[in-house]
Amino acid sequence: MMELGLLAAAGEVAAPLTLLTILIGVFVGIIAGAIPGFTFTMALVLAFPFTFAMGPVQGLALMIGIYIGGLSGGLIAGILLGIPGTPSSVVTIYDGYPMAKAGEPARALGIGIASSVIGTLIGAAVLFLVGPIIGRFTLNFGPWEVFSLVLFALTLVAGLSGKHLVKGLIAACLGLLISTIGVAPAGQMRFNFDNPQLSGGLSAIPVLIGLFAVSQLLVNVEESRLDTRPAAGTGAPKIRVPYAQVIGDMWREKRNVVRSSMVGTFIGTLPAAGAESANFISYDRAKKAEKRDPENYGKGHPGGIVASESSNNAVAGGAFIPTITLGIPGDVAQAVMMGALILHGIAPGPGLFERQPVLVNSIYLSIVIAALCVLVVQTLLLPFLARVTLVPKAILVPCILVLTAVGSFAMNNRIFDIWVVVGFGIIGFLLVKLSVPLGPMILGLILGATLEEELLRALQLSDSLSTFVTRPISLTFLILAVGSIGFSLYKAHRGRKISTEAKEPVPV
Amino acid sequence: MADRLFCLALVVLVGAFWSQTTELPGPTGGAALGPAFFPRVILGLIFGLTAILLVRSFVAAEQAVSFAGFGRFLKVHWRVPAMVAMLAGYVGLLGLTGFVLSSTIFLLGGFALLIREYSKPVLIASLALATLLPFTLNWVFENVLRTVLP
């Protein structure tokens, strides 16, 4: 069954059009990741409408290409400009930028690209091995377990999304509330406020585009990072990767690359932890494990680039595990991909491995092919990509706003959806200003319908709420949900205590 | 202050949605719960969390988001509301003049608003984009994605 699924998936993914789609996705993702201030998540959201005309495998392949390319693309701006292209490439700067300043930008980029590719492949291998095991386990899940699991994911994301726990929880609830607009599970109309446009509910995509793309573009406008000329000394240098030297560096860092990739994969499986945490932890581990010259970390050590780039790319394989086995997207990028699957009538989560073996196997293969595309595109187009980082945002912002408008319109052919984009763009911008995290809101929006449907199904099968705590797996998830809130409260309390102590005058 | 305004907005939102739930029917077709049950649980949670946030904005005022610099924000970052207004104008124009013309106008306006230092390459790139991008997108959506734009 598994082998047949893999063969059929290979047939679909190896189709020339799908391969071209992955290549385009990788190219777009790298460019989105390379430009500071724009994120591959934004590129994923904007690419969503283009998947309407594609089949599920091809649509997912496009998104995987953008995802993998974007995770890697951040290293270009980080190494050449000292500005992280994406939040997940912050740590790459520690050693990549000093190495570039010391006259070896091509070596730093070569190490970064090689580490990205190896990290992605190790993450994909773990997904291939572990995914089916968890998938089989989730077959035991009934509505009680799924409800408790979704609840746990929401509390975890709200709690870990920043120091503002209450605001994170409010954001999650707002997302759930938005998901209730439209037709209820039993078919009744609700919350249309006498507006016929709201009868079908708010489509997730315009809301996502508004919250994540438009609000981020407005932040770019605000931050005045719109100069049309690069700062002195930041021009793109001439780049030719010294392959032999890079291979030597990678061989010396072979333990580091495996360790960091495993750390990245593990952290990727945790909702809300993400690539940002993975590269900090891997960097710290690599520095502590370095015997020869740990003092050179932060001054242009190859191991620093290896740790950061292999871990943040390995996150991809890990992040797919909860998404496809449990139906719980770990981050916004995964939420968008899950949304794409739902749009094609495929519900990720328990049973997906049995229902859609070809699709699941095509995910593994698409990740592997995307990793190879990253290697080819970044190596061959490095001089061009280095120039992309210097494209003025004053030109990009209006162009991307036009893309957001056309993308949201294309979904239902109605201008109302573009108004939704504008409205949620403003709401998203204001929420960012109020320190309200947007991640939990998106998760609430994507998982809201599942949460309500599973709750109603559970109560239809057994009208007692006690079933949620008498079933061991459901009880475990509920305990974890309470625990995650408790942990967040403890963390917030500890943070306040430390800042209070820091303010107190030191006795003489 | 900003947190308190946020709380006020949430209370209005909760009130508006709650009043709608009173018009919803009860359980039908053997369902255990009606369509109002789940939203009411969510609304209750939002209300409770809003109350906590409101109390904290008074008790731990130093952690609350301040509203003090709003006037200065508008003065320094006037391009943000200007861009929002342009975006709203663009959407309004879409239905009237169609995608290509409205997008060209919006792009030219957007570049004029955001580009601070013009050089010859920037001017050429912006004019080329303002004319070519809407046509290209229109062609891709109509011929490849089979979606007719306004």
Side-chain angles (χ1 to χ4, degrees), chain A residues 238-317:
Chain A
K238 283 194 171 72
I239 295 164
R240 185 164 294 173
V241 177
Y243 296 104
Q245 194 179 13
V246 169
I247 291 168
D249 286 328
M250 294 307 295
W251 180 251
R252 274 189 295 279
E253 297 293 336
K254 54 187 178 294
R255 284 196 184 86
N256 184 2
V257 75
V258 173
R259 182 183 51 243
S260 301
S261 300
M262 295 309 285
V263 168
T265 309
F266 173 71
I267 290 178
T269 61
L270 307 173
E276 294 87 341
S277 322
N279 60 7
F280 275 101
I281 295 168
S282 302
Y283 187 85
D284 181 58
R285 294 301 314 147
K287 195 175 171 183
K288 282 177 179 154
E290 176 62 48
K291 297 280 190 294
R292 290 187 297 266
D293 49 354
E295 69 281 356
N296 280 338
Y297 268 75
K299 297 173 188 168
H301 196 294
I305 307 170
V306 168
S308 172
E309 283 304 314
S310 54
S311 63
N312 69 21
N313 281 268
V315 161

Side-chain angles (χ1 to χ4, degrees), chain B residues 99-115:
Chain B
F99 174 74
V100 174
L101 185 59
S102 57
S103 298
T104 305
I105 294 169
F106 172 73
L107 285 171
L108 287 172
F111 295 146
L113 179 73
L114 300 179
I115 295 174

